[in-house]
Amino acid sequence: EYIRLLHNLVGLEAELAERLNLKKVIIIPGDSEADSAVRRELGRAAAGVLSQHLGDNMVVAVSGGSTMAKVAEAINFSVPSTAIVPARGGLGEVVEYQANTIAAVMAGRLGGRYRLLHIPDGVSEETLEAILAGDANLRAVADVIKQANILVHGIGEAVEMAQRRGMPPATIAAIERRGAVGEALGQYCALPGEIVYVTSSIGLRLDDLAGIGTVIAVAGGSAKAKAILAVAGTGGQDVLVTDEAAAKAIQLLI
Ligand code: F6P
């Protein structure tokens, strides 16, 4: 608390919460893009927020990404009645950063259970429907995901995420043309908060989030400022855990 006052971040937390229409913003001093110790702190802060909201027998949905991997690593408490599920499947990340992996690691650290979504990447909505129709287990996991009490997810830059996922150049160009700057849950968002491209997948979408008890977004680094603004602008977010670099860059944009 002392160090945060020292960095004068408490006022900025309140300002961003108000302007971004969030219940709470937590700002970690420093720049997680440049400093791995700050990345670790970001993960630790998000794990702390999760522990505050986690009651018995809750379902927690998680996204993938390197930031979420840090959140999973930082969990040092156990709530064995928790069920962890991936928020959305098949978004084309490397194994370490897949939501399934993060869910399994988190469940291991919490002493809880996990359910995974085994669906292929990059298939059409029709194919997904057909897979779902033929797989009762997958349907059951999809139902559990929709009932999540808490969602913890990352936010990324739109074009960077499209490239990281190996999307075809024509799709990347279309995403860019539509003004997308941010991405979360496979959905690409333009400012001030419009969903302009959706990756077909199973699980939560940004427009489902009003029905989820607590939604916690974790993202840092000044490069993600617009991405955070665009995703927050779609609504449904409750808590943002970010760093000083991103927070100050956001402040310049609002
Ligand atoms: O792919 C999962 C995901 O959570 C995306 O929705 C998000 O844009 C990205 O990871 C963030 O990744 P990172 O934390 O590595 O920047």
Side-chain angles (χ1 to χ4, degrees):
E1 194 57 46
Y2 174 70
I3 202 156
R4 294 203 302 156
L5 277 170
L6 201 70
H7 288 261
N8 201 13
L9 297 179
V10 174
L12 186 51
E13 290 177 341
E15 181 187 341
L16 293 192
E18 197 197 319
R19 299 293 298 274
L20 273 53
N21 204 10
L22 299 169
K23 295 197 178 97
K24 194 174 173 69
V25 174
I26 293 169
I27 304 172
I28 301 305
D31 181 358
S32 59
E33 224 175 296
D35 186 343
S36 65
V38 179
R39 267 198 299 281
R40 207 164 44 238
E41 281 307 313
L42 197 63
R44 217 200 311 247
V49 173
L50 174 62
S51 77
Q52 285 162 15
H53 287 87
L54 199 52
D56 284 330
N57 300 307
M58 284 191 173
V59 174
V60 178
V62 296
S63 81
S66 63
T67 311
M68 285 301 300
K70 290 288 174 200
V71 179
E73 252 174 53
I75 289 178
N76 60 358
F77 49 93
S78 95
V79 185
S81 61
T82 310
I84 313 262
V85 289
R88 216 159 146 79
L91 292 177
E93 293 270 22
V94 295
V95 170
E96 300 87 302
Y97 295 163
Q98 283 171 14
N100 274 337
T101 307
I102 309 279
V105 171
M106 275 203 181
R109 299 194 68 104
L110 281 166
R113 293 161 291 133
Y114 59 82
R115 304 286 299 266
L116 302 182
L117 264 183
H118 296 293
I119 56 167
D121 287 341
V123 295
S124 68
E125 208 66 58
E126 296 76 49
T127 308
L128 280 176
E129 289 299 326
I131 297 173
L132 261 183
D135 188 335
N137 179 54
L138 203 55
R139 284 200 301 279
V141 180
D143 285 343
V144 175
I145 293 173
K146 299 276 179 193
Q147 289 158 24
N149 302 96
I150 300 175
L151 164 67
V152 193
H153 72 90
I155 295 174
E157 290 170 82
V159 171
E160 188 194 308
M161 286 313 299
Q163 284 165 348
R164 184 159 119 189
R165 290 171 174 156
M167 285 181 161
T171 310
I172 299 177
I175 287 172
E176 228 179 332
R177 208 164 40 239
R178 293 176 201 173
V181 291
E183 187 279 348
L185 302 175
Q187 295 177 269
Y188 293 79
C189 309
L191 288 165
E194 195 198 344
I195 298 165
V196 294
Y197 182 87
V198 180
T199 315
S200 42
S201 187
I202 289 167
L204 292 175
R205 295 177 171 223
L206 288 169
D207 41 23
D208 295 323
L209 301 191
I212 307 292
T214 304
V215 177
I216 304 164
V218 195
S222 57
K224 286 190 181 178
K226 282 187 182 165
I228 293 167
L229 262 186
V231 171
T234 65
Q237 305 287 322
D238 297 305
V239 182
L240 169 66
V241 183
T242 189
D243 63 13
E244 185 179 355
K248 290 190 165 155
I250 292 170
Q251 193 183 29
L252 294 176
L253 293 169
I254 56 179

